[in-house]
Amino acid sequence: MALTPEQRQVIEHPGGHARVSAAAGSGKTATLVARVVELLRRGADSARIRVLMFNRSAREDFERRLAVAIREAGCQARVSVQTFHSAGYRLLQRLEAEGVVPRRRLESADWVARKLARTALEAALENRDEAEAVEDEAVDAFLAFVDVVKADTREAAVIHAEAPRLLGAALPGHYLEAFRRFEALRDDQNVRLLNDLIHEPVQALLADDALARRFRNHFDHVIIDEYQDVNEAQQQLIRCIAGDRAAVMVVGDPDQCVYQWRGARPEYIVRRFDEDFPGAASYTLPHTFRFGHAVALLGNHTVVRNRQRDGKLCLAAPRNPATEVRRCTDSDPELYRRILAEHRATGGRLSDVAVLVRLYSLAAPLELELLEAGVPLRLEGRAGLFQRREVRALLGYLRHAAGLLRDPLPDGAGPAELLTEMLMLPVAGLRRPEAQAVAQGYADARLPLIRSLSRAAEDLPRWKGRRLRQRVASLECLGAFHGDDPVADVLDEIVSELSLYEAIASGSPSAEAATDRSMMVDALRRFAASGGWGLTEFLERCDELIARSAQWQDAPPEQAVRVTSIHRAKGLEWPVVIVPGLAEGTFPYGVGEATAADLEAERRLFYVAVTRAQHRLYLVHPQDPRLERALRGGRAEQFDPHRAVASRFLAEAQPEHSIAAGAALHRGETPDKRLRTRVVGDYLAALQGHEVVTD
């Protein structure tokens, strides 16, 4: 195994607590595996070593690599590698056995938590008009609040009050009552959820120090990976496991702390570790073995502006590929096809390519372009554009205007499903089950839509019937269109008649969700305008794309472009990475009301996105003369983000300087003085101070 001097220092750490700051792609897993083997060589009891990972896939990968390393070292040992949740669950079982906490059944299925949340929200909103709007997005947002509460050790009311600081936005007032009801439902049903596995035992031990002492000091060594992602509950679990006996080694990178909505904060690795585990040695793994100097400089130029970090620079190792970085404007309607064609012309595969997005709606133009070109893609973590509810609603309105609402979509969605979404956007006074019943009545009765809805309104409470009749009036207006009318005009009328954007804003659980949904509507409208289609012609084209998308979902192609969020991409890498949507307001998101902490969090997301690329990185942004002037001048300070269209991160990243300086370094040359920003100068000094050697 090739080792840097810094990796050797970590592996050979003499003892006591240690904090390791590891750059993206620095080989930290291999280093931790070698550290465990080194402890075994020194005679450490394998039963007293505990390794904690964040998820099952990371645990399984570490276990596999550790088993090979132990076997090759000639050791006979088995070391416990657990996720935080499994460690909490084991502790919880012991507390159950002693009668400290009640025995409950563990429910890990997502639908269980969602059902509890929906019931709790509806009960909390029972006497309010908002009760009609408990949609999936509202359930998601409330469960995110539950997760944040369970990731902490303080009362829910405290978390709720501090939400603007912790989460970047205030939370709805009914969340506290909904949380009380959520917990009461959980108690009544004797249910324990995944987010209780750490929270519940930690709370029990914090409440009883005598009890906590019995569970401490059972280990000599505790090793934690991805420590930048810990929250308060996990920090307290580490303290409980370690006690006063164990030497704790943590590895992480404050520049990659991107899970704030789970309670993670850079301060845990930057400050809290030293407070809770005093006297810790500090090590740095600065070299990345993933990408070249241009990407390293690009990321460094951006992230050094953050205050909550440890000052480390990411350095490209000498033998790394010379990663190519390109800026592209999003005005090219065939941009993504050109990128993929170029990649495939050099023997590349579609599976080499990842599109990393801040909001899923930013992938909509790419999704439409690739669907039209017949290029397979796989969207991870969210439904595709034509499966999104707001787009389903628009398709329903368009099909009604064309007299085609009763015809099912190629993916099997029938008139009842489309009409349900139409009645929920905007909300026509109905809860979703009521809207589904009304829509199913239309599908079954074979009456004309207007007559069917008018009859349904008669059977509803007065205020709900009034709201539904208002929707009927809007639908009658849309019935005046013809199949050859320009579809862009029809969409404009739908948006105006229904005040669609206002409905999305008022019906979304957060500003970010509203932005994402509105941008999906924008994407469909731009697509409709780009083709100059008539109404019927456009719906036929959509049917072709829906059929193609459904085919890829039913039988996912082996070779497909991956589209995923930046959050989901952390820890992964691809030969080609595309980052679209680099515009002020979307990335960084919500800059108008963003705090300094919010901007630092967005900056870390940008850093994570660009450092996933191995060979080629594309940064896609809107045209902006102000950005071009700032980059030509080589001074990010000349870029005024408040007047700009393109993202400030592009100016901060100094792409031209990063690319040119990186190219010089790959040629073995010293970058010209005109390229030496402060970051480039510090980078050169760091390269000289950190030599990479191999065994």
Side-chain angles (χ1 to χ4, degrees), residues 609-621:
V610 301
T611 56
R612 303 307 97 191
Q614 295 172 297
H615 302 296
R616 193 170 295 144
L617 170 66
Y618 294 90
L619 304 173
V620 184
H621 61 88

Side-chain angles (χ1 to χ4, degrees), residues 121-428:
L121 282 169
E122 289 178 347
L125 292 167
E126 192 171 15
N127 297 318
R128 308 187 196 183
D129 288 344
E130 298 103 304
E132 66 190 31
V134 182
E135 285 285 87
D136 285 349
E137 294 85 354
V139 173
D140 290 339
F142 173 68
L143 284 175
F145 170 66
V146 174
D147 282 342
V148 172
V149 173
K150 298 298 180 75
D152 211 300
T153 57
R154 297 172 295 173
E155 295 292 329
V158 176
I159 305 301
H160 188 274
E162 293 190 8
R165 181 181 66 84
L166 295 174
L167 305 175
L171 296 174
H174 63 268
Y175 271 22
L176 284 178
E177 174 61 17
F179 181 78
R180 186 188 68 77
R181 291 177 180 266
F182 181 88
E183 290 295 272
L185 286 167
R186 200 169 60 79
D187 289 342
D188 291 344
Q189 298 179 25
N190 203 34
V191 166
R192 184 172 283 127
L193 304 175
L194 285 177
N195 54 17
D196 296 306
L197 295 185
I198 299 171
H199 183 263
E200 196 169 340
V202 163
Q203 292 289 59
L205 297 181
L206 288 177
D208 188 340
D209 190 60
L211 176 68
R213 284 197 296 271
R214 291 166 40 206
F215 289 89
R216 294 175 188 151
N217 301 318
H218 294 289
F219 294 95
D220 295 329
H221 301 276
V222 176
I223 297 174
I224 300 107
D225 192 17
E226 300 289 359
Y227 182 71
Q228 78 281 343
D229 294 331
V230 300
N231 53 46
E232 184 61 27
Q234 290 166 329
Q235 180 76 356
Q236 295 299 335
L237 180 65
I238 295 168
R239 293 184 64 187
C240 172
I241 292 174
D244 301 320
R245 173 174 180 159
V248 180
M249 175 179 282
V250 299
V251 183
D253 184 3
D255 295 333
Q256 297 186 74
C257 177
V258 296
Y259 297 137
Q260 287 83 348
W261 40 275
R262 293 183 187 170
R265 299 286 180 273
E267 67 185 62
Y268 285 100
I269 190 169
V270 172
R271 177 179 59 83
R272 277 286 300 279
F273 182 74
D274 287 337
E275 294 177 359
D276 289 347
F277 302 97
S282 290
Y283 300 100
T284 303
L285 300 180
H287 290 99
T288 180
F289 301 95
R290 177 180 297 159
F291 43 78
H293 294 295
V295 170
L297 286 167
L298 194 82
N300 288 328
H301 269 116
T302 308
V303 81
V304 295
R305 293 173 175 269
N306 279 0
R307 298 183 63 182
Q308 287 210 358
R309 60 189 309 269
D310 55 15
K312 167 186 81 272
L313 288 180
C314 177
L315 309 176
R319 297 180 184 178
N320 287 10
T323 312
E324 182 181 358
V325 179
R326 295 187 189 179
R327 283 194 302 118
C328 310
T329 58
D330 57 14
S331 56
D332 181 356
E334 297 186 351
L335 171 64
Y336 301 107
R337 276 177 276 193
R338 295 182 197 280
I339 291 173
L340 295 175
E342 180 180 355
H343 177 63
R344 297 171 84 174
T346 59
R349 302 171 301 172
L350 289 178
S351 58
D352 295 336
V353 182
V355 181
L356 308 183
V357 295
R358 172 62 181 86
L359 300 171
Y360 277 97
S361 52
L362 295 172
L366 171 139
E367 182 181 354
L368 288 166
E369 184 180 328
L370 297 192
L371 280 171
E372 284 212 287
V375 178
L377 73 157
R378 185 169 74 245
L379 195 67
E380 297 181 348
R382 189 65 61 89
L385 180 139
F386 287 110
Q387 285 73 47
R388 291 283 293 258
R389 285 180 166 174
E390 56 273 12
V391 175
R392 293 280 204 198
L394 283 175
L395 290 175
Y397 287 119
L398 290 173
R399 295 175 85 86
H400 163 66
L404 300 172
L405 182 58
R406 286 199 176 274
D407 297 344
L409 294 180
D411 61 5
E417 181 177 335
L418 293 182
L419 181 54
T420 297
E421 301 309 331
M422 294 162 65
L423 296 175
M424 297 305 296
L425 184 64
V427 175

